[in-house]
Amino acid sequence: MREAIELAQKGMGFVSPNPMVGAVIVRDGEVIGRGYHKKYGDLHAERAAFADCEARGADCTGAEMYVTLEPCCHHGKQPPCTDAIIEHGIKRVYIGSSDPNPLVSGRGVAILRENGIEVVEGVLKDECDAINEIFFKFITKHLPFVTVKYAMTMDGKIACKTGESKWVTGEAARENVHRDRMKHAAIMVGVGTVLRDDPMLTCRLEGGRDPIRIVCDSTLRTPLTSNVVCTARTVPTIIATLESDVAVTQPYIDKGCTILTFRGKNGRPDLRQLMKTLSSLNIDSVLIEGGGELNWSALEAGIVDKVQTYIAPKIFGGVGAKSPVAGLGADKPDDAFMLETVAIKHFGDDILIESRVKNVHGNS
């Protein structure tokens, strides 16, 4: 099953909005087939594993299959994987995660058992669940999974008093950020980040996939000469704004940007409505790499599922140096957004703390 998990993760960034799935077929203690869902629309992991068996000339009759997610039992872009499992004479299936998709949700297991196949559920369940947290939320709540990411020093600063912020963390941590950019369907920043840094917001990993870029810009201050606008025909760029004047929005559209106009909330686009719109566009996940104001607005709107905090062994100091979360802030400790740490990782000298937001109200 651990090998199946490793296989599944090879599809990261390319299978969205489908889940990442890996499958391994074993007979007489030897692996005779491996497969994973490579990209959206391609063979599912189970059928890819059977294709591998056929390429090897291996007979699957009486073999066992390890698969990270409950096999599908409905027709989509691919036929049901349960049919393939039955047709190939698999005798036992070990499953990691149950599929919360209403079209599956236990039916895949039931069909296999009805056809005399033994099914063992919950094998390395936590590890299998972890790789598909995005899919699980999107398929059940029809909203994107939202991660807020920031890097700060040991004294909680994201930049020096001058505003200089390159670089807070080291190269290994920054490389992991690019992996997360590839993992998420979209990346979102505020217009302040565009004005200050003029970022590309792309994935710089070899063979990686660029996320869709989203800029929250209430009054359309994003320069027409900015990197995100000038490359919008190459990397899809969405600007969420309150501006509806065609004379103002058309120049951005002419350069390839998509303009989404929303009702105002505290002078900014309504982030909860934005998430619903992104869901309708099949965008299943958003990585927020904005500044303190956008981070606070996202938390306040109740759209955040996970917080990624990179901590560098440095101290910037400075009363006026920026912190990762700004906004109005909590009135008292009991009003804090509570987090539950799910993982602590090391990248060189830097530490990444991954936490789930416990009191999320906007995601229901």
Side-chain angles (χ1 to χ4, degrees):
M1 187 62 81
R2 285 201 167 87
E3 184 173 354
I5 291 171
E6 289 178 8
L7 286 168
Q9 291 174 312
K10 290 183 177 182
M12 184 180 71
F14 299 101
V15 301
S16 172
N18 280 353
M20 291 183 281
V21 185
V24 175
I25 300 173
V26 177
R27 191 178 62 195
D28 299 328
E30 292 187 10
V31 173
I32 60 172
R34 299 176 177 88
Y36 68 98
H37 187 29
K38 292 185 177 180
K39 66 178 182 179
Y40 182 69
D42 269 12
L43 290 177
H44 289 181
E46 297 92 328
R47 290 183 179 271
F50 288 130
D52 186 38
C53 285
E54 291 170 10
R56 297 170 183 234
D59 182 5
C60 300
T61 305
E64 300 176 331
M65 172 177 279
Y66 294 78
V67 60
T68 56
L69 183 69
E70 179 181 0
C72 66
C73 54
H74 64 286
H75 283 270
K77 288 188 175 293
Q78 294 290 333
C81 289
T82 49
D83 288 357
I85 293 171
I86 295 166
E87 290 164 5
H88 282 84
I90 296 293
K91 71 172 183 180
R92 184 179 297 114
V93 178
Y94 296 91
I95 295 173
S97 299
S98 298
D99 191 341
N101 185 342
L103 295 174
V104 184
S105 193
R107 295 179 191 171
V109 169
I111 289 172
L112 294 179
R113 286 177 172 155
E114 287 167 6
N115 283 272
I117 298 172
E118 182 183 346
V119 179
V120 180
E121 299 180 78
V123 180
L124 296 185
K125 183 181 186 305
D126 290 344
E127 290 94 325
C128 290
D129 286 353
I131 64 174
N132 279 315
E133 59 186 356
I134 288 173
F135 170 74
F136 289 166
K137 180 187 176 184
F138 191 66
I139 201 68
T140 58
K141 297 191 175 181
H142 310 292
L143 287 169
F145 186 95
V146 178
T147 301
V148 165
K149 165 261 165 185
Y150 54 81
M152 68 180 191
T153 59
M154 292 285 277
D155 57 335
K157 306 297 183 182
I158 61 173
C160 295
K161 63 179 181 180
T162 59
E164 181 64 39
S165 61
K166 293 185 178 178
W167 295 101
V168 174
T169 55
E171 189 173 331
R174 297 199 299 274
E175 182 177 334
N176 192 62
V177 169
H178 285 281
R179 280 194 289 270
D180 279 318
R181 285 185 178 183
M182 188 171 78
K183 178 180 178 181
H184 290 75
I187 182 172
M188 187 165 77
V189 299
V191 65
T193 297
V194 175
L195 293 172
R196 182 178 62 251
D197 301 331
D198 193 20
M200 284 291 292
L201 302 177
T202 52
C203 172
R204 299 188 188 110
L205 298 178
E206 184 177 352
R209 176 201 54 83
D210 292 325
I212 296 168
R213 301 176 300 197
I214 304 169
V215 180
C216 290
D217 182 358
S218 302
T219 56
L220 273 187
R221 292 185 294 144
T222 300
L224 288 167
T225 56
S226 65
N227 282 322
V228 291
V229 173
C230 289
T231 59
R233 295 196 184 281
T234 304
V235 182
T237 301
I238 296 171
I239 301 179
T241 183
L242 304 181
E243 183 61 66
S244 58
D245 188 341
V246 175
V248 179
T249 61
Q250 193 60 48
Y252 294 93
I253 296 171
D254 291 342
K255 283 184 170 287
C257 296
T258 297
I259 300 295
L260 299 179
T261 301
F262 295 92
R263 299 187 308 273
K265 191 167 185 179
N266 300 322
R268 299 185 175 115
D270 186 331
L271 293 181
R272 293 183 67 175
Q273 189 59 46
L274 173 58
M275 292 304 115
K276 292 178 181 177
T277 301
L278 295 180
S279 176
S280 71
L281 297 174
N282 236 14
I283 294 174
D284 66 357
S285 52
V286 178
L287 177 64
I288 297 180
E289 288 194 25
E293 292 295 335
L294 181 57
N295 291 346
W296 172 259
S297 296
L299 285 164
E300 191 175 38
I303 65 171
V304 181
D305 297 284
K306 178 187 279 188
V307 176
Q308 290 184 320
T309 306
Y310 289 87
I311 303 175
K314 304 175 182 178
I315 292 178
F316 284 169
V319 174
K322 292 183 178 180
S323 297
V325 181
L328 294 175
D331 290 329
K332 53 185 184 296
D334 287 347
D335 295 333
F337 291 97
M338 302 303 294
L339 306 178
E340 179 181 17
T341 299
V342 294
I344 299 176
K345 304 174 184 177
H346 293 264
F347 297 95
D349 292 332
D350 303 315
I351 297 172
L352 168 61
I353 301 176
E354 292 188 330
S355 308
R356 294 297 295 261
V357 181
K358 294 174 69 174
N359 50 341
V360 179
H361 304 298
N363 281 334
S364 57

